[in-house]
């Protein structure tokens, strides 16, 4: 067990730098500030360091570091300082695709993304594709709002157009959610065995390039007094039509 | 037109205090940092002050105050300083109930609340009841995430048990959303003409007291690998079953 009390310690400085995507990529590590997620990372053999202030949650078989609440507050993005922080390995994705896939085209808010992944696991869309322009998937707000779906889904951040074309070639139906009233009402849409549901940017919706790849467009009928639904809600309503 | 450049000006200090529920209640005023919402407040005769830094959006027929970005940044809760801030009147609610009502029992996150109100208007649940323990409905995050539904719905924050009992007496079916698998599958539930859908606290769900009032309990079938859906998503999926 190490004991470190200073935020200017080199190892702590390295951990603090992990709040920044650049350093997450450089070190191949990311931060976890929720004990359930730390446990999941540990069970998957991904936990490298566990930092705690007073009493450790348990004796994780990794580098345990006794520190103080000041250090933890610098590492956490939460308002309330957590009891412990985990530092886990970023691993290369297995690249196995589920039959039902959710894809995000330029979604910006990690909280929306986390809500979508949580719903995706709930409705058996166990693969999430993200365009390179989306939020970073090792962002703490994203990880936290997935409520554990993070470690149970296949998350692939890459060129979305290329990915969709490849999946189309493998027999996946590419379906976009849009406000276009000439589209198919979601209540009349029958899900095929293999499909990718694509939802778009919070303000601008689906990009033209991806519209051109889509096999079908579906919409959710809503009151004309409101312009659109929250992207997480729209994605979840459509995915909920998947018979479990 | 007034010109105020100092954050220590008494009027500006009063406006800054409106970030706090206590002073919103005391002065009967609240802040708006989105131009669409400012316009809606103006159209409804609720806009009292309009503050801008460079060019006003338009010449609102209310007290216009030319100020600077420093003052606006103190008034806004946004990361990017908005071009203008509105100060609007809090009005007593009309207390007319729609046939479909959404009720929040101890929901804490104003963002979740805003998403629910946005979906509520989309699916014609035009009245929102909130228990007194919920977030404050003049919180800026709530107002912003309603995306305009704020001014088009009937929002009533009061003792929820009393409200539900009254509505039950008027023929409303009280329905709670719960994880209980012995409940009615949402896909088998037929909405009556008049109903109140109650969703609960993010961590603890529906309180016992309200469980006892409920006529029916419904659940959304989900993969057992995930504990629950986001409360905004769950409410939206159920409300989306309302035929428009």
């Amino acid at each position: 067990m190490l004991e470190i009390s200073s935020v200017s310690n080199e190892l702590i400085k390295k951990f603090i730098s992990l709040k920044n995507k650049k350093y997450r990529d450089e070190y191949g590590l990311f931060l976890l500030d929720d004990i359930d997620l730390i446990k999941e990372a540990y069970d998957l053999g991904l936990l490298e360091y566990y930092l705690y202030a007073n009493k450790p949650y348990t004796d994780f078989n990794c580098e345990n570091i006794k520190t103080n609440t000041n250090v933890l507050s610098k590492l956490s993005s939460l308002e309330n300082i957590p009891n412990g922080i985990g530092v886990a390995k970023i691993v290369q994705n297995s690249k196995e695709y589920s039959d039902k896939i959710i894809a995000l085209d330029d979604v910006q808010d990690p909280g929306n993304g986390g809500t979508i992944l949580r719903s995706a696991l709930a409705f058996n869309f166990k693969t999430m594709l993200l365009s390179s322009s989306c939020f970073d998937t090792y962002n703490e707000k994203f990880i936290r709002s997935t409520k554990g779906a993070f470690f149970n889904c296949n998350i692939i951040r890459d060129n979305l157009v290329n990915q969709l074309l490849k999946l189309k070639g493998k027999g996946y139906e590419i379906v976009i959610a849009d406000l276009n009233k000439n589209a198919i009402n979601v209540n009349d849409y029958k899900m095929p065995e293999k499909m990718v549901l694509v939802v778009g940017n919070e303000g601008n919706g689906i990009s033209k390039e991806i519209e051109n790849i889509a096999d079908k467009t579906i919409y959710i009928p809503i009151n004309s007094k409101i312009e659109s639904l929250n992207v997480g809600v729209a994605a979840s309503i459509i995915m909920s039509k998947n018979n479990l």
Side-chain angles (χ1 to χ4, degrees), chain A residues 15-131:
Chain A
F15 294 158
I16 293 173
S17 79
L18 299 176
K19 295 186 134 187
N20 191 313
K21 175 173 171 11
K22 186 184 154 199
Y23 294 102
R24 287 196 290 268
D25 289 345
E26 181 174 331
Y27 296 122
L29 295 171
F30 67 105
L31 297 167
L32 292 166
D33 51 20
D34 176 285
I35 188 61
D36 290 326
L37 291 169
I38 293 171
K39 282 192 280 180
E40 283 200 66
Y42 180 73
D43 290 341
L44 293 164
L46 300 175
L47 194 66
E48 298 268 292
Y49 301 89
Y50 173 63
L51 298 97
Y52 62 94
N54 302 309
K55 250 174 52 145
Y57 173 81
T58 181
D59 196 17
F60 290 113
N61 185 13
C62 70
E63 185 74 81
N64 287 272
I65 302 173
K66 187 170 163 55
T67 182
N68 52 46
T69 50
N70 184 34
V71 168
L72 294 187
S73 75
K74 291 282 187 295
L75 292 171
S76 168
S77 57
L78 295 168
E79 267 181 54
N80 300 319
I81 303 168
N83 293 318
I85 291 272
V87 181
K89 266 187 294 200
I90 292 176
V91 284
Q92 284 302 316
N93 212 290
S94 66
K95 307 279 181 196
E96 276 172 41
Y97 292 89
S98 51
D99 283 346
K100 301 281 191 301
I101 296 174
I102 178 77
L104 311 187
D105 178 20
D106 195 31
V107 169
Q108 292 304 302
D109 181 62
N112 282 338
T115 298
I116 294 175
L117 194 71
R118 185 175 172 187
S119 295
L121 178 56
F123 300 119
N124 283 338
F125 280 64
K126 291 183 192 166
T127 300
M128 176 180 268
L129 310 181
L130 302 100
S131 67

Side-chain angles (χ1 to χ4, degrees), chain A residues 110-166:
Chain A
N112 282 338
T115 298
I116 294 175
L117 194 71
R118 185 175 172 187
S119 295
L121 178 56
F123 300 119
N124 283 338
F125 280 64
K126 291 183 192 166
T127 300
M128 176 180 268
L129 310 181
L130 302 100
S131 67
S132 310
S133 59
C134 283
F135 61 86
D136 179 54
T137 54
Y138 288 93
N139 171 297
E140 290 142 271
K141 193 176 168 196
F142 171 69
I143 297 175
R144 205 164 45 235
S145 51
T146 69
K147 296 281 171 189
F150 183 74
F151 288 116
N152 289 291
C153 289
N154 194 16
I155 303 171
I156 303 158
R157 197 165 181 276
D158 203 349
N159 182 304
L160 188 56
V161 171
N162 290 352
Q163 293 199 75
L164 292 178
L165 287 173
K166 222 178 278 173

